[in-house]
Amino acid sequence: MSTTTTSATMQVSAGILIVGLGGNNGVTLLAGQIANRLNLSWETSTCGRISANWYGCLTQIPPRGIHGRGVGFQGRIPGLASANEAVVGGWDIRPTPLGQALYDCRVLEPDLVRQVREEMDKVEIMEGVWDPSFIGESQHDTATHVVSGEDNASTRTRVERIRSDIRKWREKNNVNGHVTVIWSASVERPSEADYASTDDLLNAIYDDGNKDDISPSMCYAAAAALEGCSFVNGGSQNTLSSAMNGLFDENYRKADAPPACPLSKFAPYSSDMAYCLGTDYKAGQTKFKTAAVEYLRALGLAPRVIASSNHLGNNDMLNLTTKKTLNAKMRVKSDIFGPWEEKDLDHKVCVMYTEFIGDEKRDFVEYTSLGFLGSPHTMVTYTRCMDSILCVPLMVDAAIWCDYFVNHKVSKGDAARATAYLFKVPEGEAKGVDPGFFHQMSELEKVLEKTSGIELTVSKKRKIDEVDSESDIIAMGVKKGIISEDQAAALRGLK
């Protein structure tokens, strides 16, 4: 539900606060949520008339198939929130109304944009915290909607301003569920600030005379933790240090911290469970790479060269034309196969800004491996898709999983491992997990089985029993239109 239309009596299951709400990802997510909530349909240039759906969002689509591993979890896992009922808000350093921003980005069909534009233009955009040294020069001229004055005097005042924004937003919109803060703003250059402990991090934030290299994303992450919100680092920068991860440990954020603890300086603070997840969404090219190399390894081949390029012309790629921010992106893109320790693998990545292409990411990847007796095996993939169409489902799923895991008291480690499939470089207790996409999906299912008590991976014997059972055969006949409901009832009566 949009920020401006939330009923004062509605029980809201989850809150989604986006840093960079006016960016392509933010406006696409909000437009999609409005379209689904209002059950809109629209004309397209390629597929005729389309109705709103949550395709790509594993938490929002029902399972398909009879083999135990469906492709969706809605209706399969009790207690999984509906994104239709969430509240979406956030910050941006640009004042452009969100409906106008959606129109400008040219991601969605014009007929859909026309239907949601007016409602989106009414949604409040909170002023963003920013530091020009952390993002590319291409972003500076339009950064006119920023926190200023006393609220921008120090790192402490910036963090307190974000905390105040979160509290006011929650109250204004009657958000009763868990809130997840998602970094979807421009990629920052790497921060040079390094802290040995969470105490050191908080002391640095609190010290108004401190000149440490603390980034805006670190301010948002710290504020989220202090307000009991989860934080998801959808960018490539090094926001999630061990010191920052420690701030999300409920054992650290215990109520009534002693005066000697730096945490007490930020009272009142929340001791509610929250997660710190990231880094950098594994949305398109990289996600398929992990599945493709997993496939090659499963064949017993020895991957030797992965040469990939992608080009697009959205604002995120424009920001990466600055070397200081490009370094952060290349760090995560080159690290994705690290845990496999494929020492002879030569992985090369090239990214290019091409303004004419807009948000439509186009990527080309060539995989060369050694097969039997050292014979080369080469395959090529080519993909075209709007970048935001790939990223938004991951943003939705991250927030819904955080809400579900908090409600079910899932540990930090389990939550990190379960959501590792969402990120190029899983952080915290998910560091070093198998990078293979299907291995990571298995980790998610393991955690959900433990949490829900529902068997998601069906045993071979159980599959045979289910296929052989008379009731399942009859139900399958109805589903496939072979027999009618009346005929099914008659057959069941013969037993």
Side-chain angles (χ1 to χ4, degrees):
M1 180 163 290
S2 72
T3 304
T4 58
T5 58
T6 305
S7 166
T9 60
M10 177 173 284
Q11 293 297 305
V12 178
S13 60
I16 305 174
L17 278 171
I18 301 170
V19 188
L21 179 61
N24 291 11
N25 289 345
V27 295
T28 301
L29 188 155
L30 182 58
Q33 200 247 8
I34 293 172
N36 276 279
R37 173 166 51 83
L38 299 180
N39 196 27
L40 299 180
S41 62
W42 56 94
E43 294 293 340
T44 72
S45 59
T46 55
C47 304
R49 194 160 191 86
I50 292 290
S51 297
N53 59 72
W54 286 109
Y55 292 161
C57 303
L58 299 187
T59 62
Q60 301 303 298
I61 60 175
R64 298 197 300 266
I66 61 171
H67 302 295
R69 287 186 178 221
V71 296
F73 294 98
Q74 190 61 237
R76 190 177 174 202
I77 303 295
L80 205 55
S82 167
N84 289 2
E85 298 173 2
V87 175
V88 180
W91 304 263
D92 206 284
I93 61 175
R94 298 174 185 82
T96 308
L98 299 178
Q100 179 65 41
L102 179 69
Y103 174 82
D104 292 342
C105 75
R106 301 293 197 271
V107 171
L108 300 178
E109 292 285 346
D111 191 28
L112 173 57
V113 175
R114 175 185 58 80
Q115 295 180 64
V116 301
R117 184 172 178 175
E118 183 177 353
E119 179 172 347
M120 288 181 62
D121 276 341
K122 297 176 183 177
V123 176
E124 176 190 6
I125 308 170
M126 294 182 281
E127 292 177 336
V129 167
W130 89 305
D131 181 333
S133 74
F134 275 94
I135 60 175
E137 289 77 9
S138 63
Q139 313 299 300
H140 292 187
D141 289 345
T142 55
T144 60
H145 190 65
V146 299
V147 171
S148 58
E150 287 299 314
D151 287 345
N152 194 42
S154 67
T155 302
R156 178 185 62 81
T157 60
R158 294 180 194 118
V159 169
E160 291 301 333
R161 168 60 181 270
I162 298 168
R163 294 182 66 189
S164 175
D165 286 344
I166 293 172
R167 290 194 296 268
K168 290 177 181 177
W169 180 82
R170 266 177 163 163
E171 182 178 358
K172 178 179 178 180
N173 295 284
N174 192 36
V175 181
N176 301 312
H178 185 70
V179 174
T180 299
V181 176
I182 299 176
W183 180 272
S184 185
S186 296
V187 172
E188 298 172 326
R189 66 166 173 81
S191 167
E192 296 178 4
D194 186 22
Y195 301 102
S197 68
T198 304
D199 282 357
D200 289 348
L201 170 63
L202 290 181
N203 280 328
I205 291 174
Y206 191 79
D207 180 4
D208 287 348
N210 177 46
K211 302 299 181 184
D212 286 359
D213 196 40
I214 297 176
S215 65
S217 63
M218 293 170 68
C219 293
Y220 281 101
L226 293 168
E227 293 302 315
C229 303
S230 292
F231 180 81
V232 176
N233 182 25
S236 311
Q237 64 275 346
N238 58 343
T239 309
L240 307 186
S241 62
S242 59
M244 184 66 74
N245 284 329
L247 187 55
F248 286 81
D249 190 335
E250 61 269 26
N251 290 323
Y252 181 84
R253 283 184 295 109
K254 288 181 178 177
D256 302 321
C261 177
L263 185 61
S264 65
K265 300 173 184 177
F266 295 88
Y269 57 85
S270 173
S271 58
D272 292 344
M273 177 178 279
Y275 305 107
C276 189
L277 305 174
T279 280
D280 199 354
Y281 285 121
K282 184 165 66 174
Q285 182 187 66
T286 308
K287 179 171 287 185
F288 189 80
K289 276 184 187 177
T290 58
V293 176
E294 186 176 32
Y295 159 76
L296 293 170
R297 285 164 51 87
L299 291 180
L301 304 182
R304 286 294 182 264
V305 177
I306 301 175
S308 67
S309 68
N310 67 70
H311 61 282
L312 67 164
N314 63 12
N315 191 60
D316 184 48
M317 188 60 78
L318 177 61
N319 180 55
L320 295 179
T321 58
T322 301
K323 190 175 187 301
K324 63 184 180 183
T325 53
L326 179 62
N327 288 341
K329 175 64 74 173
M330 300 310 289
R331 174 185 71 91
V332 296
K333 278 187 170 290
S334 61
D335 282 356
I336 59 171
F337 302 119
W340 275 334
E341 297 183 349
E342 290 280 1
K343 296 178 181 178
D344 296 322
L345 176 60
D346 186 7
H347 179 208
K348 293 290 192 298
V349 181
C350 176
V351 296
M352 296 168 282
Y353 174 68
T354 50
E355 183 177 2
F356 178 80
I357 300 301
D359 196 68
E360 188 182 33
K361 177 181 284 188
R362 303 182 182 188
D363 67 62
F364 177 95
V365 188
E366 183 183 87
Y367 304 82
T368 299
S369 307
L370 294 181
F372 184 59
L373 299 179
S375 181
H377 172 286
T378 298
M379 65 182 192
V380 171
T381 61
Y382 174 66
T383 307
R384 289 176 60 178
C385 187
M386 291 294 185
D387 198 35
S388 300
I389 296 300
L390 295 169
C391 286
V392 164
L394 307 189
M395 296 168 66
V396 171
D397 282 350
I400 299 301
W401 286 133
C402 284
D403 175 76
Y404 175 83
F405 291 151
V406 163
N407 290 336
H408 290 79
K409 307 298 181 187
V410 174
S411 69
K412 276 178 56 182
D414 278 350
R417 287 185 288 272
T419 56
Y421 78 96
L422 296 170
F423 305 106
K424 290 184 178 73
V425 181
E427 302 275 8
E429 294 183 55
K431 275 187 176 180
V433 298
D434 190 304
F437 176 70
F438 295 103
H439 276 87
Q440 291 178 347
M441 290 304 297
S442 294
E443 286 294 325
L444 170 63
E445 290 186 339
K446 287 177 186 176
V447 173
L448 292 176
E449 285 183 345
K450 183 165 67 172
T451 303
S452 67
I454 298 172
E455 185 180 2
L456 299 177
T457 308
V458 182
S459 67
K460 183 175 180 181
K461 180 179 184 303
R462 184 178 158 196
K463 288 181 192 176
I464 295 172
D465 290 343
E466 288 178 349
V467 172
D468 286 346
S469 71
E470 183 178 321
S471 61
D472 278 359
I473 292 173
I474 294 171
M476 190 180 298
V478 173
K479 185 176 181 180
K480 292 183 177 294
I482 299 170
I483 58 174
S484 67
E485 289 283 2
D486 290 342
Q487 290 171 323
L491 287 170
R492 292 188 179 101
L494 297 175
K495 290 191 291 183

